[in-house]
Amino acid sequence: MAGKGTQRQPEDSHAGVGLWARVGDRLMVGGAVVGDEGRDGEIVGVHHADGSPPFDVRWSDTGKVSLVFPGPDARVQHFPAH
């Protein structure tokens, strides 16, 4: 057990935000039913400075862009910032 004052701070600048993304990251969403592979797409827009949802996503299967409020089955694959 860590002593008082020795608690480490998270190194991630987005700690505590929950799901977050930057333009260029990839959003992956699970399928709605068993056996459905789900979808993925490139995040092409974020609406909040902290990178929290919603996101504008260009889906890889259709090429269309939509506004997405990700659910609990979503995850973000992060890529290094340019």
Side-chain angles (χ1 to χ4, degrees):
M1 184 167 179
K4 187 175 180 180
T6 60
Q7 196 172 34
R8 292 184 56 177
Q9 293 296 320
E11 294 178 25
D12 187 345
S13 63
H14 292 90
V17 173
L19 190 68
W20 65 274
R22 292 183 293 248
V23 171
D25 288 346
R26 182 157 299 279
L27 180 70
M28 291 162 283
V29 181
V33 296
V34 175
D36 183 356
E37 294 181 16
R39 309 175 78 179
D40 69 288
E42 179 185 359
I43 296 173
V44 296
V46 294
H47 295 263
H48 301 287
D50 66 358
S52 63
F55 309 127
D56 295 323
V57 177
R58 179 178 295 117
W59 297 106
S60 62
D61 58 347
T62 64
K64 293 184 178 182
V65 175
S66 60
L67 179 65
V68 179
F69 292 83
D73 62 338
R75 64 187 179 93
V76 174
Q77 181 180 10
H78 299 284
F79 296 99
H82 296 282

